[in-house]
Amino acid sequence: MSQYPINPAFVAQGKLSDNERLKTESDHLRGTITADLQDEITGGFNGDNFMLIRFHGMYQQDDRDIRAERAAQKLEPLHNVMLRARMPGGIITPEQWLAIDRFAAEKTMYGSIRLTTRQTFQFHGVLKPNIKPMHQFLHTIGIDSIATAGDVNRNVLCTSNPVQSELHQQAYQWAVKISEHLLPKTRAYAEIWLDDEKVETTEQEPILGDSYLPRKFKTTVVIPPDNDIDVHANDLNFVAIAENGQLVGFNVLVGGGLAMTFGDTSTYPRRADELGFIPLEHTLQVAEHVVTVQRDYGDRVNRKNAKTKYTIDRIGLDNFRREVEQRVGVPFEPVRPYTFTNRGDRIGWVEGIDGKHHLTLFIENGRVLDFPGRPLKTGLAEIAKVHSGDFRMTANQNLIVAGVPSEQKAQIEQLARKFSLIDDGHSEQRKNSMACVSFPTCPLAMAEAERYLPELVTRVEGLLQKHQLADEHIVLRVTGCPNGCGRAMLAEAGLVGRAPGKYNLYLGGDRVGSRVPKLYLDNVAEAEILVALDQLIGRWAKERLADECFGDFVIRAGVVAEVKVSKTDFHA
């Protein structure tokens, strides 16, 4: 038995959040979704189902660009859903890619495939009559969207680096195993979307619990020296430790998370902490019991403080570690040495140790669509028709054409250039900038992000060139709200939307993603942000040490203070 009281927040405050009620009353995530699908009066979902569909991988949205116009016409918002696929490690076959390409063109409002920071793809703009057919179509090609949203463990990320091919394959297999092990056991998804017959059994959720987790939970597998999945943004991370090219175990990191709430200083972005090292044979047990400890100790009263990072700060890292060790029955070993040296994707060709070639394509904002003069979607479909390897979606919104034999390399490159998937003119700044989706589809968006990023990058490129730093870059990220989807709170310069055209500017992250930035400007427009960046980039050019990145410079120069302990430093 645990020496700590379960859910101390329950005792302290008493009343559970309403999300706890709806999960408990949902009949293991079924709700009345099946009946709701037959309701032709509205294009949306009613009551609790609005939230329950998230556990099935969907968010209800509407096109905010036309919301006011529809309201003036006495019409409800143009309700639709965004679906996020479950693809541990981001690997997808060319055949699957061609199938989702056709679905996006024929059955979605926008026609695009969106590569996301969760190393998977999203469909945007799926209207109610197409929702169930979408799930059935995905099932036929071996894809689902189970637990890619909601209070569960979500899509498990894995380093995309295809160079260390054997080690990558081992790590990827563990990402898949972890994903499968932590999935909800309810058959609700199959019954609702795939017409499976309901089995009259008493369902149990031995890992997630009948009320599921207090909040969303994110897990990664990462292979140093690449931190391409941003370990410090996630609740649970397995850092691969290899000996002689073979995976022997993982260092385990917990408690990362980037979301916060403006005006609430009890919320903050936080980097992950180290629990220790585990041999491979304990991986699934450790994954399970980090989840069960968070399940039992996470705050179910105040959802703003329900993430793992707040649980750890409330009960203490050592107590969290001891509780996991007690449940697993094995102590953590001391952390094994590891170093992260980069986190961006290696754009262009690299050769793996197996002799296969891998082409990483830069997809700005991850938006796969045919743009004027840039038919990206058509180009990827043409590559998929001839490619004999696989595609790998990255956590930086890019796509790797992986496993290309030497004799096919020239053909793949020719196609990529023909359809503008390779652009030698892309600067390092553009390749190292990222944004969340934001307007027009995200209901939480306060300011533009995806649609704004390209022009912002152009202006930052101009500032770098002005100060003779055209070959340099700043890790730049923009999010439309403070919920963290674009990982701006691990950027050297992060813009977080406050209102249309207004952002907070945070400075001081580092190149490898191990430091949270700090507020520099509050609720300002682009003009003020660019003036500030112009001045700071000018100082960086003149005053920096050899190879000193922008984030390190602004801390050393005293522009912002370093955030060492988020709970005390971030809002100080």
Side-chain angles (χ1 to χ4, degrees):
M1 293 293 291
S2 167
Q3 60 181 303
Y4 308 109
I6 300 300
N7 289 315
F10 294 6
V11 178
Q13 300 181 45
K15 184 174 173 56
L16 304 184
S17 72
D18 191 55
N19 291 73
E20 297 304 313
R21 176 203 57 77
L22 75 88
K23 287 182 287 185
T24 302
E25 297 177 358
S26 72
D27 187 18
H28 289 98
L29 307 182
R30 293 174 177 85
T32 56
I33 294 173
T34 298
D36 216 341
L37 288 169
Q38 308 307 315
D39 183 355
E40 298 180 357
I41 296 176
T42 175
F45 287 85
N46 300 300
D48 290 350
N49 297 328
F50 176 86
M51 295 294 296
L52 286 176
I53 63 169
R54 298 184 180 187
F55 291 83
H56 300 260
M58 297 175 291
Y59 289 85
Q60 181 172 306
Q61 302 182 336
D62 74 282
D63 190 327
R64 294 176 65 178
D65 284 348
I66 61 173
R67 185 186 287 177
E69 175 187 342
R70 289 180 66 85
Q73 297 171 350
K74 306 275 194 260
L75 297 172
E76 73 171 7
L78 186 57
H79 293 309
N80 60 84
V81 301
M82 175 271 280
L83 175 135
R84 180 182 300 136
R86 185 177 68 92
M87 309 214 66
I91 294 182
I92 185 170
T93 68
E95 293 76 20
Q96 289 172 323
W97 184 271
L98 287 170
I100 67 170
D101 175 275
R102 288 192 297 272
F103 184 90
E106 297 170 4
K107 301 292 186 181
T108 72
M109 291 165 51
Y110 304 103
S112 65
I113 299 168
R114 181 56 152 79
L115 306 180
T116 85
T117 57
R118 294 309 300 168
Q119 201 177 23
T120 183
F121 70 87
Q122 294 177 175
F123 287 139
H124 287 261
V126 181
L127 297 173
K128 200 172 188 178
N130 291 326
I131 294 175
K132 187 168 182 176
M134 169 178 60
H135 287 282
Q136 295 180 332
F137 148 74
L138 288 173
H139 179 68
T140 65
I141 62 171
I143 297 174
D144 62 58
S145 63
I146 301 171
T148 56
D151 297 347
V152 288
N153 180 67
R154 300 187 177 187
N155 194 52
V156 177
L157 310 188
C158 181
T159 292
S160 302
N161 177 10
V163 176
Q164 302 175 65
S165 51
E166 189 171 356
L167 180 59
H168 177 271
Q169 183 61 27
Q170 294 168 358
Y172 166 71
Q173 289 170 353
W174 279 106
V176 173
K177 291 176 185 176
I178 293 166
S179 176
E180 295 292 332
H181 189 66
L182 298 179
L183 281 180
K185 308 309 178 196
T186 174
R187 291 179 48 78
Y189 183 91
E191 291 170 13
I192 295 169
W193 307 112
L194 309 179
D195 292 329
D196 274 17
E197 185 176 342
K198 185 169 184 178
V199 179
E200 293 299 328
T201 59
T202 301
E203 286 188 320
Q204 292 183 331
E205 294 283 7
I207 298 175
L208 299 175
D210 291 339
S211 293
Y212 298 89
L213 300 183
R215 278 295 259 124
K216 60 186 176 182
F217 192 95
K218 299 178 180 179
T219 301
T220 74
V221 177
V222 62
I223 308 172
D226 294 315
N227 183 22
D228 57 341
I229 50 77
D230 266 331
V231 295
H232 292 292
N234 300 280
D235 299 81
L236 173 59
N237 306 274
F238 292 90
V239 180
I241 302 299
E243 294 178 359
N244 301 317
Q246 296 294 310
L247 186 63
V248 296
F250 297 102
N251 288 335
V252 180
L253 279 67
V254 295
L258 304 184
M260 59 180 172
T261 301
F262 288 136
D264 184 348
T265 57
S266 74
T267 68
Y268 43 83
R270 185 188 191 279
R271 51 169 286 154
D273 291 318
E274 294 170 334
L275 286 185
F277 172 83
I278 54 162
L280 285 180
E281 60 265 28
H282 301 308
T283 302
L284 293 184
Q285 270 194 302
V286 167
E288 175 178 330
H289 288 300
V290 169
V291 168
T292 66
V293 172
Q294 165 59 5
R295 176 197 71 196
D296 293 342
Y297 293 98
D299 191 333
R300 293 181 185 265
V301 174
N302 180 3
R303 281 180 67 79
K304 293 179 180 179
N305 290 131
K307 287 272 287 173
T308 312
K309 59 183 177 179
Y310 302 116
T311 304
I312 291 173
D313 280 349
R314 189 178 70 248
I315 71 172
L317 180 65
D318 290 340
N319 288 339
F320 193 97
R321 179 189 294 110
R322 280 196 294 269
E323 187 69 13
V324 174
E325 289 175 332
Q326 182 176 325
R327 296 182 186 204
V328 174
V330 175
F332 285 100
E333 299 176 21
V335 168
R336 302 281 179 93
Y338 68 98
T339 303
F340 291 127
T341 59
N342 60 82
R343 60 171 161 167
D345 296 328
R346 306 180 189 187
I347 305 301
W349 287 101
V350 296
E351 183 176 355
I353 59 176
D354 59 354
K356 294 290 182 69
H357 301 271
H358 313 279
L359 174 62
T360 302
L361 300 170
F362 170 65
I363 310 292
E364 190 165 39
N365 286 317
R367 184 68 67 176
V368 179
L369 190 63
D370 285 347
F371 299 98
R374 294 187 300 127
L376 308 184
K377 190 165 179 284
T378 297
L380 286 174
E382 291 302 309
I383 290 174
K385 290 174 184 177
V386 301
H387 180 38
S388 57
D390 56 45
F391 288 153
R392 299 182 186 178
M393 295 170 281
T394 82
N396 296 306
Q397 304 171 332
N398 298 315
L399 190 70
I400 302 174
V401 185
V404 179
S406 296
E407 60 271 20
Q408 202 181 20
K409 183 180 176 185
Q411 180 188 21
I412 296 295
E413 173 147 356
Q414 187 272 331
L415 286 171
R417 289 190 178 278
K418 176 181 177 181
F419 293 98
S420 300
L421 288 159
I422 295 177
D423 184 342
D424 297 325
H426 283 148
S427 67
E428 288 302 308
Q429 181 58 58
R430 195 164 296 275
K431 295 173 190 174
N432 286 278
S433 301
M434 189 162 68
C436 70
V437 174
S438 197
F439 288 110
T441 54
C442 179
L444 301 177
M446 301 177 182
E448 294 281 0
E450 177 182 331
R451 298 193 294 196
Y452 170 50
L453 184 71
E455 62 186 78
L456 174 65
V457 171
T458 298
R459 293 185 174 101
V460 174
E461 287 172 334
L463 296 178
L464 291 170
Q465 186 169 13
K466 172 183 175 181
H467 296 289
Q468 289 77 54
L469 293 172
D471 294 331
E472 265 289 359
H473 73 273
I474 297 167
V475 177
L476 174 68
R477 294 173 177 176
V478 183
T479 62
C481 80
N483 283 285
C485 296
R487 303 203 296 269
M489 299 315 297
L490 284 173
E492 293 184 277
L495 276 66
V496 179
R498 291 294 302 267
K502 296 290 186 71
Y503 300 86
N504 282 4
L505 174 62
Y506 296 85
L507 301 175
D510 60 15
R511 285 280 172 87
V512 298
S514 65
R515 191 168 58 227
V516 169
K518 194 170 179 67
L519 180 66
Y520 182 65
L521 293 175
D522 180 43
N523 198 19
V524 295
E526 179 191 63
E528 191 171 346
I529 291 169
L530 291 176
V531 167
L533 289 177
D534 186 11
Q535 294 171 346
L536 292 171
I537 290 170
R539 288 188 59 189
W540 180 39
K542 295 175 183 177
E543 303 172 26
R544 68 175 179 160
L545 305 177
D547 299 321
E548 186 175 37
C549 74
F550 180 77
D552 289 345
F553 167 74
V554 295
I555 288 176
R556 183 181 61 81
V559 176
V560 292
E562 181 178 357
V563 176
K564 295 180 180 179
V565 180
S566 289
K567 185 176 181 179
T568 55
D569 297 349
F570 182 73
H571 292 294

